[in-house]
Amino acid sequence: INNQKYTFLYDPRTLENLSIAPLTLTQFTYGSKFYISANPKEDFGLAISEFNRLIKPLINKRFVQSCTEDVEGCENLLIKTCNDATPEEKVIVFKESNSTSLTYSLNCLSIQGSGEDMTKLTNKLALNFLT
């Protein structure tokens, strides 16, 4: 894409049927700080890894790890949810859920689903940002 080589875990054709929030890279990158927030007891590791690998380099802003809940493993991290998102401080929430969705509302990007579904949504978002 644009003479750059990108690798994805999923064939882009298999992601075509996934619907995600209409979001451009320009809309998303406005702001100075980004919080990546999740519950460490949930299965989001590969999705965040893909986000870090494919999307973070496109944004080139400061990212801070945070938690969605005050649980074990979050003792030294900030608690950030969509309620904390502002135009200057975006929040990206990874949430394990039975329903699969990627939404963007009020400066918060919410990625929900099973571990694999969140990873697919992250790949789809990266493709949208790149094309």
Side-chain angles (χ1 to χ4, degrees):
I1 300 169
N2 299 328
N3 294 324
Q4 291 276 81
K5 189 179 261 188
Y6 296 94
T7 57
F8 294 88
L9 289 180
Y10 299 96
D11 183 326
R13 294 169 293 197
T14 66
L15 304 174
E16 288 174 356
N17 293 333
L18 285 176
S19 70
I20 63 171
L23 177 64
T24 67
L25 186 58
T26 304
Q27 287 174 303
F28 188 61
T29 57
Y30 176 81
S32 58
K33 190 186 289 185
F34 292 76
Y35 291 92
I36 297 178
S37 199
N39 180 332
K41 296 177 189 290
E42 295 180 352
D43 178 23
F44 58 83
L46 189 53
I48 287 183
S49 175
E50 284 295 276
F51 186 92
N52 289 339
R53 187 176 69 83
L54 294 168
I55 297 174
K56 267 177 77 171
L58 301 173
I59 296 171
N60 198 25
K61 301 275 176 105
R62 183 169 171 222
F63 281 81
V64 178
Q65 183 182 348
S66 59
C67 289
T68 53
E69 299 174 57
D70 188 10
V71 295
E72 186 178 330
C74 295
E75 295 86 352
N76 299 317
L77 297 174
L78 293 171
I79 307 302
K80 291 288 183 178
T81 67
C82 286
N83 294 335
D84 301 306
T86 69
E88 283 298 316
E89 294 187 349
K90 309 276 191 198
V91 177
I92 301 110
V93 173
F94 287 85
K95 176 90 175 122
E96 208 170 40
S97 173
N98 290 331
S99 61
T100 301
S101 68
L102 186 148
T103 58
Y104 182 73
S105 179
L106 302 172
N107 302 298
C108 182
L109 178 67
S110 175
I111 303 171
Q112 296 186 32
S114 69
E116 182 179 16
D117 289 338
M118 287 189 282
T119 305
K120 286 180 179 178
L121 289 168
T122 302
N123 271 215
K124 173 83 173 198
L125 181 62
L127 274 169
N128 280 11
F129 282 169
L130 289 166
T131 55

